Amino acid sequence: MARLAMIVRIITLNFPLIFSISLISSNSTTITLNNSTFLFNLNDVYAYKYALSTAVTASSYTIYRLRYSFKQLKSGTFHVTNPKNLFYEFLSDKAIVTIVATVWCCIAATVELKTKVHEMEDILEVYLDNTSFASNVPKFDYFFNKAYFPNIFLLIALFTCGISSSLSSLALMNKTT
């Protein structure tokens, strides 16, 4: 079971968490309005800042637990003799799953921001008779469509963290019974 937990943690770290961190950090677009150019990043939105910090926190915890798992693998002892360590792992895994589960706010933020961009375009055209923003709407659409990818990777991280959490629950249950 310890080997399986280590494999799940490696998958969690390498695939969804690292990809989501890199995608959130690198997604940007350039918007031009009235001869002014603006660079818009995902980091400009608080929901994505939260998602980035969540991914970094989950990655840090996963690296910490992987160090411990490699140490167990190297020494050949897969059974923890101290139930306090299993309880710590159990609580920590539950906390990380809970934190990663809260990044659903990014999906909601993406949907909401796409809607607001289209509403802003409509308001500018109808009430102000200004069409200068209309050329930027496809850029925003492409930008926010790319914003779904880190959310998908964080969803995958949620599932793999959930599997890891279940394994720590089983390990605690086996040790205490």
Side-chain angles (χ1 to χ4, degrees):
M1 191 176 306
R3 287 182 190 196
L4 182 60
M6 186 174 67
I7 290 168
V8 169
R9 289 185 199 281
I10 289 171
I11 291 169
T12 302
L13 180 66
N14 288 333
F15 183 63
L17 291 176
I18 299 298
F19 281 171
S20 63
I21 290 170
S22 63
L23 288 173
I24 292 171
S25 300
S26 66
N27 192 7
S28 64
T29 190
T30 304
I31 305 300
T32 304
L33 286 173
N34 298 333
N35 298 328
S36 296
T37 304
F38 304 98
L39 182 65
F40 188 72
N41 296 313
L42 274 183
N43 292 336
D44 295 334
V45 180
Y46 284 113
Y48 289 105
K49 285 181 183 179
Y50 177 75
L52 181 63
S53 64
T54 298
V56 168
T57 301
S59 297
S60 301
Y61 173 73
T62 304
I63 290 169
Y64 170 74
R65 292 305 304 163
L66 273 173
R67 276 189 52 226
Y68 186 71
S69 296
F70 282 132
K71 185 178 169 184
Q72 282 183 330
L73 181 66
K74 188 176 177 182
S75 68
T77 58
F78 293 109
H79 302 290
V80 179
T81 56
N82 189 353
K84 288 181 181 178
N85 290 340
L86 286 174
F87 189 67
Y88 166 73
E89 182 179 358
F90 169 77
L91 290 179
S92 301
D93 281 343
K94 300 302 181 243
I96 291 297
V97 167
T98 304
I99 290 170
V100 172
T102 62
V103 297
W104 283 98
C105 66
C106 291
I107 294 173
T110 303
V111 171
E112 185 74 21
L113 288 170
K114 280 184 74 168
T115 304
K116 294 301 178 189
V117 165
H118 289 282
E119 287 176 5
M120 187 166 56
E121 176 194 20
D122 293 342
I123 289 170
L124 286 172
E125 285 181 15
V126 171
Y127 295 110
L128 299 177
D129 197 28
N130 186 345
T131 59
S132 63
F133 188 72
S135 63
N136 291 311
V137 172
K139 289 181 182 179
F140 273 117
D141 281 338
Y142 180 73
F143 174 76
F144 287 123
N145 287 338
K146 282 178 35 180
Y148 283 118
F149 290 113
N151 297 331
I152 292 168
F153 288 125
L154 287 171
L155 177 65
I156 294 168
L158 174 63
F159 289 128
T160 57
C161 286
I163 292 169
S164 178
S165 177
S166 298
L167 292 173
S168 68
S169 298
L170 290 173
L172 181 64
M173 189 171 59
N174 289 341
K175 186 65 178 177
T176 56
T177 55

